Amino acid sequence: WLNEAAVKVFGWSREEAVGKHVSTGSKEEPWEMTVLGVFKDIAVNSPVIPVKPTIFAGKFKNMSGSDDNILLRYHSGTWDVCKKHIETLVKKEYPNAYLQLPNAEEEYDSYIKSETMLSKLLSIISLVCILISVFGLFSLVTLACEQRQKEMAIRKINGATVKEILKLFFGEYLLLLLIGAVIAFPVSYFVMKKWIEQYILQTTISAWIYFAIFIALGGIIVLCIGWRVYKASVENPVESLKRE
């Protein structure tokens, strides 16, 4: 079996590769193999290192008694059970055999350990930034309501409803959100794209992610300013004017 990287090296397509003959080994003892199929590239090194051309071949134990490697495929989440069964079987059939069971998934996780830690760190920083922004926004709205108490009172005397006052505040802050999104989204897309390009296996940055972020931020703004503005807008305008 060949991986996709090996097929590219030979200059074949996936369909052409099946049935082809590949020779390996030394000149004195060549070993000819027939390609039975092609499988997708498996990343077993650092995510920034390209997948190497690989041949998976089975062979019988030779006269010298050299050991063979066996490649096992298991369903996700069943590794511990498979490992236990294999160890029990080998211990029963070959009690003196030396068994190694390296896990490709665990090996690969060790390569992306720094990326995993970076992801957790960025998640914590993002959460802290969101909390600081929420508290800052709430304080800003509270100050604005105090400063514009007289304005809201005059609007109510002239017939403005609570809904209209809320709409006025929401419009102002959602406009600020729109301006911030126009600036931040392209910059974040450019930075993320440059960061992703260093990896061999890449994911796409979908537009729905930014749409979801915009909706979430809009919801946070509504929750932050809605209660405070509503409380200020339902207050008796006469009392507000007396304080002024």
Side-chain angles (χ1 to χ4, degrees), residues 22-113:
V22 179
S23 297
T24 185
S26 62
K27 293 183 179 180
E28 294 76 14
E29 296 182 2
W31 184 26
E32 187 173 285
M33 301 172 291
T34 302
V35 179
L36 301 178
V38 179
F39 58 89
K40 293 183 178 180
D41 291 337
I42 301 175
V44 295
N45 292 313
S46 172
V48 298
I49 299 177
V51 177
K52 296 180 179 180
T54 306
I55 298 176
F56 283 91
K59 61 178 181 178
F60 296 101
K61 197 170 185 179
N62 56 35
M63 297 300 293
S64 61
S66 61
D67 296 330
D68 292 327
N69 295 323
I70 300 177
L71 182 65
L72 300 175
R73 181 179 180 181
Y74 61 92
H75 292 287
S76 179
T78 63
W79 169 244
D80 291 336
V81 176
C82 292
K83 182 178 180 181
K84 184 177 180 180
H85 282 302
I86 294 171
E87 289 176 342
T88 302
L89 179 62
V90 172
K91 186 176 182 180
K92 179 181 178 181
E93 299 293 335
Y94 306 99
N96 297 323
Y98 175 70
L99 176 66
Q100 280 186 312
L101 286 175
N103 187 311
E105 185 176 4
E106 294 176 353
E107 292 292 330
Y108 188 76
D109 288 342
S110 65
Y111 289 117
I112 61 174
K113 186 176 181 179

Side-chain angles (χ1 to χ4, degrees), residues 1 24-25 27 43 52 58 66 75 83 107 119 125 155 179-180 182 195 201 203 234 238 241:
W1 287 73
T24 185
K27 293 183 179 180
K52 296 180 179 180
S66 61
H75 292 287
K83 182 178 180 181
E107 292 292 330
S119 177
I125 294 176
R155 285 180 181 274
I179 295 174
V182 170
W195 181 54
L201 300 178
T203 185
V234 297
V238 177
L241 292 175

Side-chain angles (χ1 to χ4, degrees), residues 169-214:
F169 274 83
F170 287 153
E172 292 178 359
Y173 286 97
L174 290 178
L175 178 61
L176 293 177
L177 172 62
L178 180 61
I179 295 174
V182 170
I183 297 174
F185 286 176
V187 173
S188 64
Y189 177 82
F190 177 78
V191 173
M192 289 297 297
K193 187 172 179 60
K194 288 295 183 182
W195 181 54
I196 292 175
E197 284 178 353
Q198 66 178 318
Y199 298 98
I200 304 304
L201 300 178
Q202 302 177 6
T203 185
T204 56
I205 306 176
S206 303
W208 70 266
I209 296 177
Y210 293 99
F211 181 76
I213 293 174
F214 186 85

